[in-house]
Structure formats: C-alpha cells, structure tokens
Amino acid sequence: MPTTETLRVLELGTGFASAYAARLLADQGADVVKVEPPEGDPARRLGPFADAVDEERSGLFLAVNLNKRGVCLDLETDDDRDRLARLVAWASIVVHSLRRDEAAALGLDPASVHASRPDLVVLAMTPFGLSGPYADFTASELTLSHGGGWAGLCPMAHPEPSYPPLKMHGHHCSMMAGVAGAMTVFALVRDRARCGVGEYVDFSVLAYVASVLEFGIHVYTYHGFVIKRTVPRSLIPWRIFDTKDGAIFLACIEQDQWERLVEFMGNPEWATLEVFATPAGRNQNQDVIHTFLEEFIGGWNTFDLYHAAQQKRICFAPVMTFENLATDRHLADRRFFTTLAGDETRYLAPALLIDDERPQYRRPAPRLGEHNDEMGTAAPQTVPPATAAPCRPLEGVRVLDLTWVWAGPFGSMNLAHLGADVIRVESSVRPDLYRRGPAAPEGVEPSLNTNGMFNQWNQGKRSVGVDLRDPSGIEIVKALVAEVDVVFQNFATGVLERLGLSYEVLKAINPRVILASVSGYGQTGPYREYMGYGPATGPLSGLASASGFPGEGPEETGVAMPDPTAGITAAYAVTAALLRRDETGVGEHLDVTLWEATAALNLDGWMEYALRGTQAERIGNRDPWMAPHGCFPAAGDDEWVTIACTDEGFPKLAEIVPGLNDERFASLASRKQHEGDLESVLSAWTSKLDRWYVTGLLQAQGIAAFPSFTAKDIIEDPHLNARGFVERLEHPEVGARAHTGIPWRFAERPNGVRMPAPQLGGHTDEVLRDVLGLGGAEIDDLRGRGVLT
C-alpha cells in the first residue's frame, strides 16, 4: 500500500510517541530506519516478556516497531556520527524525540535543518515541545497524562476525593499523539511535492493530550467552573455495573434510550415513577436509580446482557479483558489480529480498513543492529529545488463534513488545522447534539451557536445549513460531493446508505473522492449496527479492565477518549489516502471504528496477554519499572504533583526527601516491595509544599515531576500560552473565549487556528455561490422552500 513516493524515514530517540508515529508511517508503506544506541532502545528492557527478560522479545518494543528496519550507532564516535550524517542525507523525513541540546549536537535543530536540508520534513515529538518555559523539563507518560489534564478527570464521578487523579493504563497518551504526528507528516509530504519546501514540526505531546479534554476546557472558559474527577455525571444512568460474571458499562445519553431500557427491563414499577421520567429527575435521584439497576444487571451474565440489550439499541458495553478481545467474533471477522511469518505472536493489526482491506505488517521489529550492513551504502536523497512558497499543508483540499458530536468533528477539525477547507453540512431541524446544549456563557443569549462544546470541536470550518430530509437537500450534498476531495462522516452504520449517499453513489459522482467513515463498530462485521459511544468504548477496548486503583475495580476513562482517538485515526488515514490518490487518481473508502482505534493503542496490556496469557493488573498511577511513580498530595485544596523517578535518579531524590535513605528503599526491587511505605514518605513531604516548588526542585535534578493539571491550569499555563496553543479568536455571539488549539508548531508555514467555529448556516450563501456556482435567485428559491435551514 505505497504512498505517492518511496518515503525514507529516519527515526531517532527513545520516545514512544515518536516511535509510534514512525511505525504508522511504515504501516502506510514508508521505509523506516530506526537508530538505536549500542545498549539498545530502553523499551527493549521494559517488557512485557513471555518469561525471562529477553531484550529482543520485549512486547512493547515489538509492537511499536513493526515494519521498521534498525541500525545501531554509537554517536559518541566520529565514525558513527558520519554514518548518521549519511542516513540523514538518505532520508526524506526525520522523526525524533531529542531534547533541544541533543538535536543541536546532531545538526537536527530547526536552524541547521533549514540551512542544510530545506526539503527535509522533521517531526520532533517531545513532551513539552522545543520552545517555551518547560521545553527542557524531564517527563514520563505519567507527566503527559497528568500535565495534559486527562488524569485530572479520571476516574469521573469517583466518590472519594482523597483518591488522587488517575492515569489510564499503559502509554495511551504517547500513542494517540503519535497518530496525530503521522497525520501531520503525510500532509506535509504532499505539500512538499508541490513546492519543494520541507518543514520542522515542533510537536508537544502534552499539548496534544490537553487538546482532547472533551467538556473540561469549555466548561471553565464559558462558565468558570472547573470539572474534576469527583464531579457527578449529569446524564443518568451512566456507570460500570457488576454482573454475575464480570462487569458492564451502561449509558443512556438521550431520552429515547432510557425509554428503551425501561421497556427492555419489562417496565418495572420503579422505572415508571414520575421522578425518573426526565433527565433532570434521574440526575437528582441517581443513587436510587443506580441501586435499582444494580439489582437488574446483577442477575445477568455480561455478554448475554450485552447482546440482548444491543439488539434493542441500548448502549451496554462489557468491560472486556484482553482475553475477551482475543476471542471476540466481531474483531475476528474484521481481521483485527494478525501474525507474521516465523512469529506466532498475535499482534493488533492497524486500526483501519481501506476498501475493506486491512493493511498488513511487512516485517517484524528489528533486532538490535540487524540492518547495519544494508544501510552502510544508502544512497542520498535527491534534493529538488524549491519551486513555490510553502503554505498550510492541506491548503487546496476541500472536505465535506457530514459529522456530528465529537469523533467525526474532531477528525475533520484537525484537517482544517492543516489547512483544508472543511464545509460542514448541518441543519437547524435536527442540530448537532453539541449545538443543542442549553448552556451559554453568562450574559450571552442562548442559541445554537453559543455552546462551548460545539465551538471547541469545530474551529476552522465553514457551515452550510441544509435539510437532509428534503430530496433537494440531498441533491445539494451530491453537488458538493462533485467538488470536494474528502467526505468525512460519522453517522450510525447504514444511515449514509439510507440517505442515498452510499460510497458507490459518491464515487459514481466523483471517482476521486475519499470517504472516511467513523463509527463505533465499523461498516462491516456482526456488531456493525450496535450502538457505540466513546464512553462505552473504554470498557469495550480493554482499557478500563486494566485501569484503576490497586485492589479495586475497573474505572472509566473520565474523558470519552475513544472519540477523538477514532477521529484523529481517520484524519491520519485521510492524509495517507490523499497521497495515494495523487498517484492513482482514485479515491478510497476508509473504515475507522472507535473500538479498534482505541484498542490499537493498548499495546502494553495486549502484548502482556499475547506473550504471557495474563491480564494486566490495575496499578493506579504506579509503573512496573519505576518507584516512586505516582501522584502525591501538595499543599492547597485538592492540589497534586506527580513524580516519576528512574532507578538512576533515586539517589538524588533521596538527598532531597527526608526518610528516603532507608534500607527498604535501597534498590528498585526493595522499593517495589515496600511501595506503599515509599509513597507514604513522599506524601508526607509533598503535602506540606507547593506543587510548583516540588516540580522546580526535582526538575533541577532531572527527575520527572509536574503538577496534575485541571482545565483552568491548562488555559492559564504560561508555557502553553507562549506556544500559541491557547486560542482566543473572536466569535460573533460568545466573544473571544479561550479554546485549545493546535499542539504542533511549524517553522516554515503559518501557525494557529484560522477562524472560530461557524454559526449554523453562516456560510451557506458563500459556499453555494462560490463552490456550486448558484445565483442569488436559486439560493432564495431553496431558502423559500425550506431546503436551506
């Protein structure tokens, strides 16, 4: 499945975000060469392992480095630095996670690249980015989860405020940022083919995490309220419940879903009480309603309830273990598991179907130095002269946006961030769920344009108001299809076909069109018509089963992270498909699911099951390979600071914190054995100190420490503001409210969000006139007949 050119990618550094981004480039056909030091990538020593430690069989390393070649270089020697220079000359793309000083020492800082290889596309994926006050801070996955604000919302609605904010299992933050990084590279490669100018992408992984906080940001910036992990859910029922043989998640997000649930339960007398008839009533009596539901759900086996309820369009989702994933018939039907020749290990396949075909892995992860000889004579990349000025990488690409709520709008918004003209088709007759939210900022008259949830996730787009129930409205959509490059949709499976807009119809109108379909379960498979929401997909994907506090039950993801994960996966797929289409002239149908996109990032847990047959334990904020590694109370009301200390860094920590010079903490093995005592000593110390004081003190010693951020912290943070991540564009109805923006910075191309979210139908006349060539009388006629809304 090659891209338009043979992309030569050189990967440097040790970050999981950069390694996963490089693997995603390889999954689409790029030739990726990974550079490791003589001792190998640290991931080789992390596991999980089948039994004894084997640095060639670390599960996490194997999964993140599929489809790559590998070389081993000692960059302390002149000879190997020369070899690296030849590899850089060979490459058309460099992906790295190097600190500023490391990049400069290798001639891979922005100024050096601009001077020596202006055609090169460099993706620098670092925790905080290469600019700003925290650029040189040390970080870990724990830092990204808490500093990015996700952990501060986990586990949502937890009844015990003394429990710290919670990191989800594994390296989810790094992996999902890696998808966005790969998307950005493919878009830039396409513009480089046009103009001959490369780019240096300064990508902050922490900022990407902060860019996907669902309701957190707008509730603060529009209403002044800081949502935390202890805030109760407003929509009820919504919870993980115990069954006879496991656990299952239930959410009734709209009124008709509650009514179907009541009917499914046999209309019990309690469920018909007037107090439960409305969302407000259920919210006010959630403890009571959950108690009744516990009794009903507790009488079922998990998967019996799941399938029976889904047949009635009720959003139940089992809390799946990784063994459940491995044996699921829907995932098997969609070929989500794969092996490689000579390797019996079952891997998770790429989270994407292209014209109903799953991309395949071409090679296993490389052994240390396996391809040194092959790369010794690599020919340098031909450097074409620049022929035009660079622009936003997707400028000139037009996207027809038929999405709503979050997963689809997030994906199309990221295409807009890259410069695409995203035309959103919507209607006041059945407006987006996020437009319908009744809340408006104080002093602002509520309308379909004043909801922060909509305005956060639809920045940079235009809006056309069309009633799709009217045949003339469908004809407008078909006319637009003829003029666009991409159609992006996240209707429930089958809706597009019922509207008369199937892929067969779309490609008959425009053979070059790329259709990106995002759904809970996919366009094929036995569960394709099941109801799937982002909050239900955390349990469904295995993430919830591995996330939670030690000795306690599975926890929700807090944020409905599967929604933006599927959206960014589809956007990544679109940028690769555009490259292929430039070569073939033919579009594709891209099928992305919330379930697979989320499960594909659970590499820690899946590889433990694949190699050892065991289920990942719930360890809270702890880490299998570090101690201390956690979130600790700081001085102040509900203030927290994270500390992730390597074995090498512990002596420095022990010099700072009283009580750590103790035999119980003398080695990593002993610290893990006495981890509760270790955490008590640290908590006693941190609880008396300001979180930023702890951060500064430990960061000065190279120890990863950082506060656990709220949405307020993110919006007011000097580093994120200095990088232009927080946007304050003027909106016609709500004014200049703060929104999170773009987590990467370009060196050669424009930065920043171009315009705020659109008013409903705010660009109808403009688009119909300029894109479809309609005259004023034709537009007036359509409006008079109610086709335009």
Side-chain angles (χ1 to χ4, degrees):
M1 199 168 293
T3 51
T4 53
E5 58 178 304
T6 301
L7 298 180
R8 300 174 173 184
V9 181
L10 185 66
E11 179 198 331
L12 292 158
T14 59
F16 283 107
S18 57
Y20 194 61
R23 202 211 83 181
L24 292 172
L25 299 177
D27 289 351
Q28 298 282 345
D31 180 8
V32 176
V33 174
K34 182 183 185 73
V35 176
E36 298 183 67
E39 66 275 16
D41 189 316
R44 291 184 179 274
R45 296 179 286 281
L46 294 184
F49 301 101
D51 38 56
V53 173
D54 178 353
E55 294 189 11
E56 297 291 2
R57 295 294 299 168
S58 161
L60 196 52
F61 182 88
L62 293 176
V64 174
N65 293 289
L66 290 159
N67 274 341
K68 300 178 186 178
R69 296 190 285 170
V71 299
C72 180
L73 298 179
D74 182 355
L75 297 180
E76 298 298 318
T77 69
D78 291 341
D79 286 348
D80 277 3
R81 289 174 76 92
D82 288 342
R83 292 186 182 96
L84 177 65
R86 289 197 293 273
L87 286 171
V88 172
W90 165 86
S92 59
I93 298 165
V94 171
V95 177
H96 76 76
S97 60
L98 305 173
R99 298 192 312 266
R100 289 192 292 190
D101 57 337
E102 294 173 328
L106 297 175
L108 289 173
D109 57 291
S112 297
V113 170
H114 177 80
S116 63
R117 282 290 305 280
D119 66 302
L120 195 62
V121 172
V122 178
L123 172 64
M125 298 203 74
T126 59
F128 294 96
L130 295 174
S131 66
Y134 314 150
D136 295 322
F137 275 14
T138 302
S140 72
E141 183 72 15
L142 183 74
T143 314
L144 301 173
S145 177
H146 284 266
W150 183 10
L153 298 169
C154 295
M156 184 57 68
H158 198 280
E160 181 47 70
S162 65
Y163 280 41
L166 176 68
K167 170 190 172 294
M168 290 286 104
H169 183 262
H171 290 79
H172 215 87
C173 295
S174 293
M175 304 299 178
M176 64 188 188
V179 182
M183 169 199 71
T184 308
V185 168
F186 278 138
L188 285 163
V189 166
R190 192 167 182 271
D191 188 57
R192 179 179 63 186
R194 177 193 64 82
C195 68
V197 179
E199 185 57 81
Y200 202 107
V201 186
D202 176 7
F203 193 114
S204 166
V205 178
L206 183 139
Y208 181 82
V209 179
S211 78
V212 289
L213 296 184
E214 197 173 5
F215 42 72
I217 297 297
H218 89 268
V219 169
Y220 173 65
T221 62
Y222 278 56
H223 310 292
F225 182 72
V226 180
I227 291 185
K228 296 188 177 182
R229 67 202 180 284
T230 53
V231 173
R233 293 284 187 186
S234 59
L235 295 171
I236 301 297
W238 183 314
R239 216 188 74 183
I240 292 174
F241 294 88
D242 289 334
T243 61
K244 287 169 65 175
D245 60 350
I248 198 165
F249 173 83
L250 167 65
C252 290
I253 292 178
E254 299 211 55
Q255 179 66 19
D256 63 309
Q257 296 164 20
W258 164 252
E259 292 168 0
R260 290 197 298 274
L261 175 63
V262 171
E263 183 178 355
F264 176 73
M265 292 189 296
N267 295 295
E269 184 177 352
W270 68 264
T272 61
L273 295 174
E274 186 176 347
V275 71
F276 299 139
T278 64
R282 293 192 292 277
N283 181 24
Q284 293 165 10
N285 297 278
Q286 53 187 273
D287 289 343
V288 178
I289 201 169
H290 283 158
T291 298
F292 281 120
L293 284 169
E294 283 172 0
E295 182 178 357
F296 172 77
I297 292 170
W300 285 79
N301 289 324
T302 303
F303 286 89
D304 290 342
L305 176 57
Y306 170 49
H307 294 301
Q310 281 284 358
Q311 294 299 321
K312 303 295 184 181
R313 300 287 294 162
I314 303 166
C315 190
F316 276 96
V319 177
M320 280 196 164
T321 64
F322 292 103
E323 181 180 11
N324 295 147
L325 290 177
T327 57
D328 185 80
R329 64 190 179 98
H330 181 80
L331 295 176
D333 184 87
R334 288 175 56 83
R335 308 176 300 285
F336 188 53
F337 307 101
T338 189
T339 58
L340 289 90
D343 185 353
E344 295 180 356
T345 305
R346 290 181 79 196
Y347 293 99
L348 300 174
L352 168 68
L353 287 172
I354 303 172
D355 291 338
D356 202 32
E357 294 294 326
R358 185 82 62 176
Q360 297 298 304
Y361 299 127
R362 304 181 304 281
R363 63 169 78 234
R367 298 187 301 276
L368 182 61
E370 179 179 355
H371 302 98
N372 274 22
D373 292 342
E374 287 182 21
M375 299 307 299
T377 57
Q381 178 76 30
T382 300
V383 180
T387 57
C391 62
R392 293 179 190 263
L394 292 185
E395 196 167 310
V397 171
R398 186 173 287 148
V399 178
L400 182 61
D401 186 358
L402 302 177
T403 69
W404 74 330
V405 192
W406 195 16
F410 183 80
S412 56
M413 180 188 71
N414 273 274
L415 298 178
H417 285 345
L418 290 167
D421 176 17
V422 178
I423 300 171
R424 178 180 173 82
V425 172
E426 52 183 335
S427 170
S428 61
V429 177
R430 190 168 186 262
D432 191 308
L433 181 65
Y434 283 176
R435 280 200 185 274
R436 281 183 265 155
E442 186 176 353
V444 174
E445 182 69 24
S447 77
L448 292 174
N449 303 312
T450 57
N451 190 288
M453 199 76 148
F454 180 89
N455 291 343
Q456 172 63 57
W457 306 120
N458 289 279
Q459 298 174 83
K461 304 178 184 180
R462 299 198 281 176
S463 172
V464 174
V466 176
D467 186 355
L468 297 186
R469 302 174 308 170
D470 190 307
S472 295
I474 297 297
E475 291 306 310
I476 291 174
V477 171
K478 289 180 177 179
L480 287 169
V481 168
E483 304 298 330
V484 303
D485 301 279
V486 178
V487 175
F488 209 119
Q489 68 97 11
N490 70 324
F491 293 124
T493 300
V495 169
L496 205 64
E497 287 76 11
R498 291 195 288 275
L499 289 171
L501 297 171
S502 68
Y503 180 56
E504 296 302 318
V505 170
L506 300 185
K507 70 179 181 180
I509 297 170
N510 180 357
R512 293 175 54 83
V513 77
I514 295 163
L515 172 62
S517 295
V518 177
S519 61
Y521 290 85
Q523 307 302 304
T524 63
Y527 310 163
R528 63 187 177 276
E529 294 185 357
Y530 279 16
M531 178 176 286
Y533 285 120
T537 308
L540 193 69
S541 68
L543 184 57
S545 73
S547 299
F549 298 103
E552 301 194 14
E555 296 286 2
E556 291 181 57
T557 58
V559 174
M561 202 59 78
D563 278 302
T565 299
I568 202 69
T569 300
Y572 147 77
V574 164
T575 57
L578 285 167
L579 280 170
R580 286 191 294 273
R581 192 200 64 177
D582 288 346
E583 182 178 301
T584 66
V586 178
E588 298 170 347
H589 187 188
L590 310 172
D591 179 4
V592 173
T593 77
L594 276 68
W595 189 0
E596 293 165 3
T598 305
L601 306 187
N602 298 341
L603 294 179
D604 304 68
W606 172 258
M607 292 307 293
E608 178 176 340
Y609 174 77
L611 293 176
R612 301 173 58 182
T614 55
Q615 169 68 20
E617 291 184 49
R618 292 184 281 274
I619 58 174
N621 289 300
R622 292 176 177 174
D623 183 89
W625 307 288
M626 277 191 270
H629 188 281
C631 184
F632 302 95
D637 181 21
D638 202 28
E639 302 274 318
W640 301 85
V641 64
T642 61
I643 300 172
C645 187
T646 62
D647 199 28
E648 295 77 13
F650 187 77
K652 295 179 181 178
L653 183 66
E655 291 178 4
I656 296 171
V657 181
L660 291 188
N661 284 313
D662 186 295
E663 283 299 314
R664 293 170 297 168
F665 312 138
S667 68
L668 176 58
S670 182
R671 290 196 297 276
K672 294 300 291 184
Q673 183 180 352
H674 300 96
E675 199 157 15
D677 294 340
L678 175 66
E679 290 168 347
S680 294
V681 171
L682 274 167
S683 293
W685 177 69
T686 59
S687 62
K688 299 179 178 66
L689 302 172
D690 180 82
R691 57 185 183 158
W692 282 109
Y693 176 79
V694 174
T695 296
L697 193 64
L698 299 190
Q699 284 286 352
Q701 298 300 317
I703 297 168
F706 200 78
S708 187
F709 266 9
T710 65
K712 179 177 186 291
D713 293 324
I714 287 165
I715 292 300
E716 298 177 358
D717 182 67
H719 177 85
L720 293 172
N721 278 277
R723 288 179 55 82
F725 173 67
V726 180
E727 295 278 4
R728 294 177 173 83
L729 299 177
E730 186 72 30
H731 183 280
E733 295 190 37
V734 301
R737 303 280 163 177
H739 299 88
T740 55
I742 301 174
W744 61 82
R745 303 287 296 172
F746 292 144
E748 309 291 341
R749 289 165 172 80
N751 287 298
V753 176
R754 289 176 296 176
M755 55 188 179
Q759 296 173 287
L760 200 158
H763 304 90
T764 300
D765 290 23
E766 173 183 301
V767 169
L768 296 186
R769 180 184 67 244
D770 297 345
V771 177
L772 298 187
L774 299 187
E778 294 171 286
I779 294 172
D780 290 344
D781 176 64
L782 289 167
R783 185 168 281 115
R785 292 191 284 121
V787 179
L788 306 180
T789 65

